[in-house]
Each structure stands twice: as structure tokens, then as C-alpha cells.
Amino acid sequence: MANLVLVFSILMILSATQGILAVDYTVNNTTPNTAGGARFDRDIGAPYTLQTMNASTCFTWGIFEQTSPADRKAIQTVSLFVDDMDGVAYASGDQIHVSARYIIQPGDVKLGFTGVLYHEMAHVWQWFGNGQQVPGGLIEGIADYVRLKADYAASHWVSPGQGDRWDQGYDVTARFLDYCNSLRGGFVAELNKKMRSGYSNSYFVDLLGKTVDQLWMDYKAKYANT
């Protein structure tokens, strides 16, 4: 199965009004002869990866309230590559690249891989401000928010209330966004929708009636004694 590109087409019946949407997923282990590539084939596998790509897509659409094709990017195929590279993973357009060197690290590799995949799939489907400058920490925080709500938060993540800045990124910003979403259900979905056409910190005022800095202070105060 190594070096074999597996194409997996899944017909997802989303609702009677949405009809049937076909999404193609591919998995390519480009490093089957490395320790990480061999562990991917042995402990994770392409079939599980394909199933998780589909599940994470559907979950992300739900979090973003992207209930119809018009709400989403016009992506028909998402491809995942296991590569010999540094780092953990990254997404670029409709491609996800995962490090074989990360896969060889000790621990529950399948659980960790699943969380990473939910994060990267969020990047595939989220909006990035239509060319306007968006805090990088917010982009990563939204992706980790999806991972958090899917119940795949990593054991090393900060606890709620920790962190130095609202846009610090990843788990810090994900926890903050979870707080914001508790103030207004669907906040993250609405924020992502706004980011389809642009970005401004004023979006927090529009949606929650407070500046993002005030919201951060409120968030820190809520968990000050925990």
C-alpha cells in the first residue's frame, strides 16, 4: 500500500435541501521506507486517514455553519501527504502535509494524528480575510478551536484562562474563542463568515458588543482564581 495514492470518494447526504455532495480524498505516503512512514502504514493507515478526513470535513462544516456549498470554498478534492519534513503538519489550499518525523514520536500516535488532522482540515475550509491582514494567531486559534470542540485537545494545551494575548494563537486563542462562543452561540461561525470578505478587530464588537481587548480582560478575570 506504500507509495500508492488512494482515492476515496464519499457521497455525503447532508440534508434534503442540500442534496448530495461528492468530496474526493487522497492519501499518499511519500516516505514508506522511513521509520515515520512505516509507522503511519502500520499504526494509522490510509483507510483510517480517509475516514477521518471525511469526518473532520463534516465536523468543520458544522462548526462553521457551512450548511450549503455556497457557504464553503469550491474544493472538490482534499489530498494528504505524509512527507519527510520538519515540524508537525501544514495545510496549503486543498493539500495537507504531515511530517513522518512527527509520526515517529512516542505516544498515542493515532490520537495525536487525528487531532492534527482536525486542525489542518479546519484550515482547508476556513476563510482568511480575502487578502486583508488577519492576526496569524487568530487563524491558528480557529483551527485549534475546531480541534477542541471535536474533543481532540492535546494533553499539553494550556488550561482556560492561561496565555498572554488573545491572539497568541493555537490553544491559547482556541480557549479564548471558546469563551467568546459561550457568550453568543455560533460566534466562531459568524466570525469565520465575516472573514470571507475581510477582517477587522471590530468584528468582535459587532458580534459581542465589546472590543477584543475588553473581552480578553473579562476572560482572564473569569479564570483569575483557577
Side-chain angles (χ1 to χ4, degrees):
M1 188 176 292
N3 281 331
L4 177 65
V5 178
L6 300 177
V7 180
F8 187 62
S9 297
I10 301 176
L11 295 179
M12 294 170 292
I13 303 176
L14 300 177
S15 71
T17 57
Q18 293 172 35
I20 297 177
L21 176 65
V23 178
D24 293 327
Y25 301 103
T26 71
V27 174
N28 186 1
N29 181 4
T30 68
T31 61
N33 296 322
T34 67
R39 191 181 189 193
F40 172 80
D41 287 338
R42 181 181 68 250
D43 296 341
I44 301 173
Y48 175 80
T49 301
L50 293 166
Q51 292 170 8
T52 306
M53 291 173 76
N54 176 55
S56 58
T57 287
C58 294
F59 186 84
T60 300
W61 288 349
I63 290 292
F64 291 160
E65 297 179 3
Q66 296 176 331
T67 57
S68 73
D71 298 327
R72 303 187 287 261
K73 296 177 183 176
I75 293 176
Q76 297 179 331
T77 302
V78 181
S79 300
L80 182 141
F81 299 86
V82 179
D83 295 327
D84 184 20
M85 65 182 195
D86 293 328
V88 176
Y90 70 91
S92 178
D94 58 3
Q95 294 186 2
I96 296 172
H97 296 260
V98 180
S99 169
R101 301 176 195 176
Y102 160 73
I103 292 173
I104 200 59
Q105 297 301 310
D108 188 339
V109 65
K110 197 169 188 178
L111 180 64
F113 174 85
T114 303
V116 167
L117 190 47
Y118 270 78
H119 175 103
E120 300 304 336
M121 193 63 77
H123 281 323
V124 170
W125 296 109
Q126 74 183 131
W127 298 108
F128 295 106
N130 194 30
Q132 296 186 26
Q133 187 172 0
V134 182
L138 177 58
I139 290 172
E140 297 298 342
I142 289 174
D144 258 2
Y145 174 80
V146 172
R147 179 175 177 175
L148 174 66
K149 303 314 287 184
D151 201 24
Y152 286 111
S155 60
H156 65 266
W157 279 20
V158 300
S159 299
Q162 294 183 325
D164 300 320
R165 307 185 319 276
W166 75 268
D167 60 349
Q168 191 170 337
Y170 296 100
D171 51 342
V172 171
T173 302
R175 298 288 194 190
F176 172 64
L177 292 173
D178 196 30
Y179 164 76
C180 291
N181 206 79
S182 74
L183 302 177
R184 175 173 177 160
F187 164 78
V188 172
E190 293 180 78
L191 178 62
N192 184 64
K193 289 175 185 177
K194 282 179 170 290
M195 290 169 63
R196 182 171 187 169
S197 58
Y199 178 74
S200 170
N201 282 355
S202 67
Y203 290 169
F204 287 84
V205 179
D206 297 342
L207 296 173
L208 296 175
K210 293 183 179 181
T211 66
V212 67
D213 292 329
Q214 182 61 57
L215 288 164
W216 175 252
M217 288 190 290
D218 293 348
Y219 168 66
K220 295 290 286 185
K222 178 178 179 179
Y223 293 100
N225 295 321
T226 60

